[in-house]
Amino acid sequence: MTGLTAISLFTGAGGLDFGFEAAGFRTAVALEIDKRCCATLRHNRSWPLIDRDVTTVPTKELLAVAELGVGEADVLIGGPPCQPFSKSGFWATGDAKRLDDPRATTLEAYLRVLAEAQPRAFLLENVEGPGFKGKDEGLKLIHSRLLAINEAHGTRYRATIATLNAADYGVPQLRKRIFV
């Protein structure tokens, strides 16, 4: 295999992957649980696709399907489901559950794959909620897990956080997202 490689988690219909593809990356493996998204991906791309829950997929399987070894992927990309950190959860109940939401296990799964696959870099995207002052447990978890991953594996991951608005990049909607 040649070129830059991406391992994609929570691929959805492929938005992050298409951007990385435009930048010269090849999606070596995509993982998505939603059957309609998987059908869309299969229709539009021939990426190797695992259509299961990330919490049930061992990193060894991801790497085997991607035909990559530990440390060979250039980047791990993904946007874990945002419901635990979304403002809509706050509006519905008066507070978002954040890390107490059972769906927040997907953030842990992303970090597990990062630790076990050890790509050269990573990009994690989510709603801006994890960056809100006083509600930033998600970002604190990421920082602490990166320190633990670095200590355990000799990697040098560090998080740079940016909140971006899609409207600033030509998308005709106000859509703020946090990028790690």
Side-chain angles (χ1 to χ4, degrees), residues 90-124:
F90 178 81
W91 292 331
T93 65
D95 196 14
K97 293 183 179 180
R98 298 175 303 282
L99 293 179
D100 292 331
D101 189 312
R103 295 169 291 192
T105 59
T106 56
L107 180 57
E108 280 287 350
Y110 180 98
L111 293 166
R112 169 188 54 87
V113 173
L114 179 66
E116 295 172 354
Q118 297 174 35
R120 290 175 184 86
F122 70 93
L123 180 121
L124 186 146

Side-chain angles (χ1 to χ4, degrees), residues 41-62:
L41 290 169
R42 287 186 175 107
H43 179 77
N44 290 301
R45 292 294 190 273
S46 58
W47 300 331
L49 176 63
I50 299 173
D51 57 354
R52 299 198 326 265
D53 182 333
V54 67
T55 63
T56 68
V57 178
T59 303
K60 285 183 180 182
E61 182 180 348
L62 279 166

Side-chain angles (χ1 to χ4, degrees), residues 14 23 35 38 53 59 66 68 73 79 85 95 107 109 122 134 145-147 153 157-158 177:
K35 300 302 177 200
C38 290
D53 182 333
T59 303
L68 295 169
F85 308 104
D95 196 14
L107 180 57
F122 70 93
R145 292 279 285 134
L146 291 178
L147 289 172
H153 300 288
Y157 297 124
R158 61 181 166 76
R177 291 293 181 264

Side-chain angles (χ1 to χ4, degrees), residues 54-179:
V54 67
T55 63
T56 68
V57 178
T59 303
K60 285 183 180 182
E61 182 180 348
L62 279 166
L63 292 171
V65 170
E67 298 180 5
L68 295 169
V70 173
E72 291 182 354
D74 291 294
V75 67
L76 172 67
I77 62 174
C82 63
Q83 294 92 336
F85 308 104
S86 175
K87 284 191 271 185
S88 65
F90 178 81
W91 292 331
T93 65
D95 196 14
K97 293 183 179 180
R98 298 175 303 282
L99 293 179
D100 292 331
D101 189 312
R103 295 169 291 192
T105 59
T106 56
L107 180 57
E108 280 287 350
Y110 180 98
L111 293 166
R112 169 188 54 87
V113 173
L114 179 66
E116 295 172 354
Q118 297 174 35
R120 290 175 184 86
F122 70 93
L123 180 121
L124 186 146
E125 173 271 338
N126 213 293
V127 295
E128 63 180 328
F132 291 154
K133 187 174 182 173
K135 304 205 182 283
D136 57 353
E137 301 94 327
L139 287 181
K140 288 178 181 175
L141 174 68
I142 291 167
H143 283 292
S144 69
R145 292 279 285 134
L146 291 178
L147 289 172
I149 291 167
N150 290 340
E151 186 174 310
H153 300 288
T155 53
R156 296 184 308 177
Y157 297 124
R158 61 181 166 76
T160 301
I161 314 298
T163 301
L164 305 175
N165 188 339
D168 295 336
Y169 299 90
V171 177
Q173 62 179 258
L174 297 175
R175 187 176 175 94
K176 289 185 179 178
R177 291 293 181 264
I178 196 166
F179 288 86

